[in-house]
Amino acid sequence: MKHKISDISGTFTLNNGVKMPYLGLGTYMPKDSQEVTNSVRFALDNGYRLIDTAAIYRNENDVRLGIEASSVPREEVFVSSKVWNSDQGYDKTIKAFEKSLANLQMDYLDLYLVHWPVVGEYKETWRALEELYKQGKIRAIGVCNFLKHQLEDLMEDAEVIPMVNQMEFHPYLVQQELIDFCQLHHIQYEAWSPLMEGKVFELPEFQKLAKKYGKSIAQIVLRYDLQKGVVTIPKSSKEKRIIANADLFDFELSEADMDFIDAMDRNHRFGPNPDNFEWSYIL
Ligand code: NDP
């Protein structure tokens, strides 16, 4: 299936009709809080419209400052945050959400995600997200790090099918079966660590592709995400990189090169495995 990719303001449409920008900025693990504020401002001033944060990153406040410092009004930004593992369960999730809103000083979120599938908790967490969604406090709800069996289990009791599944995704971890499953259920796939936390720059295959297309490695790998229909949120703290990473709308990867990148898959994770993640782990 060919996905329509136009420019930096382009979107994919979620299963409830909400339009989600397909290119955004990640904000995990900055050096300091000023770095997040600056990078959010750089990104927005250069056309990005999706910002990914999470309660556990403890930077929602810095994200807000970045949005305020930018030339873009809040309504034009797609703000995404996540409920952390120790806050899962119905009541705790409602409270965690209110805290995130307070940190962001916003009266709604565009997307709120369950950060990890905490065993024994995620269904009640999801019920809280459904409630907040029905109340109009969140425009779209979704999950992160849910494998097929966890999605199936969640959907057995869910009233609302998740709109997004944010997963580790890059050339070494494609999980095509999971992508196909999400597509079948109209769950938008979103990539975290799309640049392999920076390790993609060492791969000779990408050095070759970059040369072939006259583009940078980051542009090739992020273009691959978009052509696969995957929302992508590369993180950078540097204005030049933030701008360059989004300069990927003037070329198209051939089908053969898309297949070539798919075939690099090693089912290799840099992050935790959702089946045996240490739930109590606090960053
Ligand atoms: P990425 O794959 O986005 O890689 C980020 C690294 O790449 C940084 O070190 C950055 O350095 C470097 N980089 C970015 N652009 C370039 C470039 N053009 N040239 C060279 N180096 C570059 O990793 P993340 O783990 O940050 O993933 C992206 C986002 O996904 C996170 O920030 C977070 O928002 C989200 N996430 C979600 C998770 C979940 O469980 N739901 C888990 C992990 C991440 P520099 O800043 O110096 O440019």
Side-chain angles (χ1 to χ4, degrees):
M1 188 167 116
K2 218 167 171 185
H3 300 273
K4 203 167 163 271
I5 310 300
S6 53
D7 55 49
I8 194 168
S9 67
T11 55
F12 291 145
T13 304
L14 304 182
N15 66 28
N16 65 344
V18 164
K19 290 187 186 318
M20 177 174 187
Y22 44 52
L23 178 67
L25 180 79
T27 63
Y28 178 47
M29 282 295 252
K31 209 170 62 244
D32 54 52
S33 58
Q34 191 59 42
E35 191 177 283
V36 172
T37 299
N38 287 341
S39 57
V40 168
R41 178 169 63 81
F42 295 150
L44 294 177
D45 284 343
N46 286 287
Y48 286 70
R49 288 296 178 267
L50 159 64
I51 306 294
D52 181 79
T53 180
I56 195 66
Y57 304 167
R58 299 191 180 90
N59 65 12
E60 291 168 316
N61 191 47
D62 309 315
V63 166
R64 169 181 66 85
L65 292 172
I67 296 172
E68 285 174 4
S70 79
S71 56
V72 182
R74 185 270 171 263
E75 310 74 62
E76 289 177 24
V77 186
F78 192 99
V79 181
S80 173
S81 193
K82 316 182 186 89
V83 53
W84 184 242
N85 302 338
S86 51
D87 285 325
Q88 290 207 30
Y90 188 88
D91 291 336
K92 285 206 275 180
T93 296
I94 301 276
K95 272 197 199 129
F97 173 75
E98 295 299 340
K99 202 169 161 201
S100 283
L101 271 192
N103 287 336
L104 287 157
Q105 294 190 16
M106 292 175 183
D107 48 16
Y108 71 94
L109 275 189
D110 295 277
L111 178 65
Y112 197 48
L113 302 167
V114 181
H115 210 142
W116 287 90
V118 175
V119 176
E121 299 284 1
Y122 63 70
K123 287 198 180 188
E124 282 299 287
T125 305
W126 187 249
R127 215 163 57 75
L129 262 63
E130 289 178 327
E131 181 55 33
L132 293 163
Y133 174 64
K134 283 186 215 154
Q135 290 174 10
K137 293 180 174 173
I138 315 173
R139 295 177 64 225
I141 53 177
V143 295
C144 306
N145 304 304
F146 274 56
L147 300 172
K148 181 167 172 269
H149 72 93
Q150 289 148 337
L151 282 171
E152 282 171 336
D153 183 46
L154 182 77
M155 289 195 294
E156 225 173 72
D157 298 313
E159 273 184 57
V160 180
I161 300 295
M163 283 128 207
V164 172
N165 189 14
Q166 186 186 101
M167 296 296 298
E168 180 177 348
F169 173 84
H170 44 67
Y172 277 3
L173 186 71
V174 177
Q175 302 192 95
Q176 189 61 49
E177 249 188 59
L178 182 59
I179 294 180
D180 293 343
F181 178 84
C182 287
Q183 229 160 42
L184 187 70
H185 293 275
H186 307 289
I187 301 169
Q188 175 63 52
Y189 212 78
E190 180 179 10
W192 62 257
S193 291
L195 303 172
M196 295 177 161
E197 301 169 348
K199 293 172 199 73
V200 75
F201 301 103
E202 296 155 21
L203 304 183
E205 292 93 333
F206 274 92
Q207 288 161 8
K208 264 197 187 155
L209 283 170
K211 215 167 164 195
K212 173 173 170 185
Y213 285 91
K215 300 298 289 183
S216 74
I217 290 178
Q219 289 156 356
I220 299 281
V221 76
L222 298 172
R223 177 80 202 188
Y224 162 77
D225 297 354
L226 299 190
Q227 283 185 218
K228 272 187 90 71
V230 174
V231 170
T232 192
I233 48 168
K235 176 256 167 189
S236 179
S237 52
K238 302 185 173 59
E239 185 171 19
K240 268 196 180 152
R241 286 180 179 171
I242 291 171
I243 295 170
N245 288 353
D247 180 14
L248 46 74
F249 299 101
D250 58 353
F251 77 108
E252 187 173 339
L253 292 168
S254 70
E255 240 173 79
D257 286 328
M258 290 295 291
D259 292 346
F260 173 78
I261 300 173
D262 277 342
M264 288 176 68
D265 186 16
R266 298 179 175 191
N267 202 25
H268 178 86
R269 296 175 191 280
F270 294 99
N273 184 325
D275 266 334
N276 51 31
F277 180 65
E278 199 182 322
W279 311 116
S280 55
Y281 171 65
I282 298 287
L283 296 172

